[in-house]
Amino acid sequence: MQLRRKKPPKEAVSIVQSTQGYAAGQDLPVQLYAYELFEKVRRTVPIVDGAISKLVRLIGSFSVECADASMQAQLDRFLREVPVGLTGQSVYSFVDSYLDSLLVCGNAVGEIVLDRRGRYVAGLWNGRVRDVEVCAGTGAMQRQYYLRQGENRVLLPHPERILFSALKPPDGGVYGVSVLQGVPVFAEILLRLYECIGQNFDRAGNVRYAVTYKPSDDPAELAYAGERARQIAKEWADGMRAAKCGEVRDFVAVGDVDIKVIGAENVMPETEIPVRQLLEQMLSKLSIPPFLLGLNWSSTERMSVQQADILTSELEYYRRILEPVIRRIAQMFLQLNGCYADVEIVWDTINLQDETELAQARLHHAQAEEIEQGLADAGE
């Protein structure tokens, strides 16, 4: 027996008394600037890109269970084979790109694409958040979406097909906040440090020599000092060119000639501590344990477990944001196929270590019960 329901009645227009409403695009210029800034930080700082990519992968996979068992096979096939954009496939590919945009920009937008007659779901599309404006609709809980086309904007006629999520939006706001908020300041300093390191190695790492010829007080030698200096310079240049070609060549000079390495007395500035301090500030925003990014910082076993627990809570928070999006996709597919049954999102376990500890605890409990039972039998 299939579980089917009628469509819920259309909700009446609601009014919120504690707000004056939200005007379309009132803070969009700031958002557009922030999108470009955060995307630039990700492109230029490899550790930020690595942290974002790991968060997306660590979110894990999921399955969607339908209350109508007869529709489960069709739903599973749809989730595996639904086209995503021009090159992707499966709802998992869509969710990965959706979460990536949510983390970097603080907002994510997608669309459920139907065929021309609106009979079935033809695919999913990951949109660019900078191209879409969001504002309140006729009711306080209704949203309208506008597509930005240069200086103009066009109202999207089917808002029910648009998927939009915001990460920790401020009170009364619509647009969310990126996990990279505050990071660009430290990223700028970090890149400046690396630029200085490169320049210092260009100056001191690429060894340059100072060849000094000191003629004696002999008038005859002083008369030919210029000519000897030119000969020494020529021989030295020939020796350096031969060294570049892999040829070993001695440098022979007459007189008091002093050869020193330029900058050998100087010490390269220490950058390990300031770079680590900057990375700590940046990783604290991303909630990624340093060992997951290959940073060999001192860490105890207990500290690593605590960091893993913090990361687990962060991933669960992102899952709660993604669940309504996945549920809307699954429900629209089912409704277009005449089924209005409920769906449930079942996520895979994030941390296998937790499952291992629980299994170990159950084993110890069972062993304790067995020992107690054995003692009881022996007492009888």
Side-chain angles (χ1 to χ4, degrees):
M1 179 179 179
Q2 294 184 354
L3 301 177
R4 301 183 184 275
R5 307 183 303 184
K6 295 182 179 180
K7 292 184 179 180
K10 188 176 181 180
E11 297 181 357
V13 176
S14 57
I15 300 176
V16 178
Q17 304 178 72
S18 59
T19 183
Q20 297 180 356
Y22 183 80
Q26 66 180 16
D27 56 353
L28 189 63
V30 178
Q31 289 293 329
L32 293 177
Y33 173 76
Y35 296 155
E36 296 178 359
L37 180 61
F38 295 144
E39 290 173 357
K40 182 178 180 181
V41 169
R42 180 177 182 176
R43 290 194 304 268
T44 55
V45 184
I47 197 169
V48 173
D49 179 62
I52 295 293
S53 300
K54 277 187 170 54
L55 283 175
V56 173
R57 289 194 294 269
L58 289 173
I59 201 68
S61 185
F62 59 88
S63 61
V64 182
E65 296 182 354
C66 180
D68 187 351
S70 63
M71 294 294 297
Q72 186 64 51
Q74 296 184 39
L75 178 60
D76 292 340
R77 184 168 58 252
F78 164 76
L79 297 177
R80 291 193 308 266
E81 300 177 357
V82 58
V84 179
L86 299 178
T87 58
Q89 187 177 16
S90 82
V91 71
Y92 310 104
S93 175
F94 172 81
V95 170
D96 289 345
S97 299
Y98 194 87
L99 177 60
D100 190 286
S101 175
L102 186 68
L103 295 175
V104 176
C105 301
N107 303 282
V109 63
E111 183 177 355
I112 304 175
V113 183
L114 305 185
D115 69 312
R116 293 184 180 275
R117 297 183 180 181
R119 296 172 301 177
Y120 60 89
V121 178
L124 303 174
W125 186 269
N126 290 106
R128 297 202 317 167
V129 291
R130 66 179 63 189
D131 295 337
V132 178
E133 294 183 20
V134 186
C135 68
T138 55
M141 299 302 174
Q142 297 178 353
R143 288 181 291 191
Q144 291 181 339
Y145 301 95
Y146 293 84
L147 180 64
R148 299 182 68 249
Q149 296 180 345
E151 299 296 331
N152 302 322
R153 59 193 186 100
V154 180
L155 177 65
L156 300 182
H158 299 285
E160 71 279 359
R161 303 178 188 175
I162 303 299
L163 304 170
F164 181 82
S165 299
L167 184 64
K168 294 183 291 187
D171 296 338
V174 174
Y175 295 107
V177 179
S178 170
V179 295
L180 300 181
Q181 188 179 34
V183 172
V185 176
F186 298 98
E188 182 182 1
I189 301 174
L190 180 66
L191 293 177
R192 196 183 310 161
L193 276 174
Y194 282 127
E195 183 181 0
C196 293
I197 293 173
Q199 292 177 350
N200 288 334
F201 270 96
D202 285 339
R203 298 186 181 119
N206 187 7
V207 180
R208 292 174 174 84
Y209 299 91
V211 182
T212 306
Y213 168 59
K214 301 177 182 179
S216 63
D217 296 335
D218 186 1
E221 186 175 355
L222 289 175
Y224 296 97
E227 183 179 352
R228 289 184 177 180
R230 287 189 291 271
Q231 291 178 350
I232 292 173
K234 180 179 179 302
E235 291 297 324
W236 181 261
D238 293 341
M240 291 294 101
R241 283 194 294 268
K244 291 181 180 179
C245 298
E247 179 184 351
V248 178
R249 183 172 178 178
D250 295 332
F251 172 70
V252 181
V254 179
D256 188 2
V257 179
D258 185 20
I259 302 176
K260 293 183 178 179
V261 176
I262 298 176
E265 298 83 3
N266 299 328
V267 180
M268 293 286 289
E270 180 62 39
T271 58
E272 181 178 358
I273 294 178
V275 167
R276 175 170 175 172
Q277 290 177 345
L278 292 172
L279 293 179
E280 288 174 347
Q281 294 291 329
M282 297 166 67
L283 293 182
S284 66
K285 286 286 295 182
L286 300 171
S287 301
I288 287 286
F291 60 84
L292 289 181
L293 299 173
L295 299 176
N296 298 321
W297 294 348
S298 59
S299 176
T300 63
E301 182 179 358
R302 183 175 181 84
M303 183 183 299
S304 300
V305 173
Q306 292 175 347
Q307 291 175 344
D309 291 340
I310 294 174
L311 177 59
T312 301
S313 64
E314 288 288 329
L315 297 176
E316 290 176 348
Y317 169 70
Y318 298 142
R319 286 180 171 184
R320 291 196 298 270
I321 299 177
L322 295 174
E323 277 193 10
V325 176
I326 303 171
R327 186 175 292 109
R328 279 189 60 188
I329 296 173
Q331 287 179 340
M332 180 166 289
F333 168 78
L334 293 174
Q335 291 171 7
L336 291 175
N337 285 273
C339 177
Y340 297 91
D342 292 331
V343 296
E344 181 181 358
I345 315 300
V346 181
W347 293 91
D348 293 344
T349 303
I350 294 178
N351 192 350
L352 296 179
Q353 182 180 1
D354 292 343
E355 293 295 317
T356 304
E357 291 178 354
L358 291 175
Q360 190 71 24
R362 289 195 297 268
L363 175 62
H364 292 166
H365 184 68
Q367 291 174 345
E369 288 184 348
E370 184 179 1
I371 294 174
E372 291 174 357
Q373 185 65 34
L375 293 176
D377 295 342
E380 294 178 356

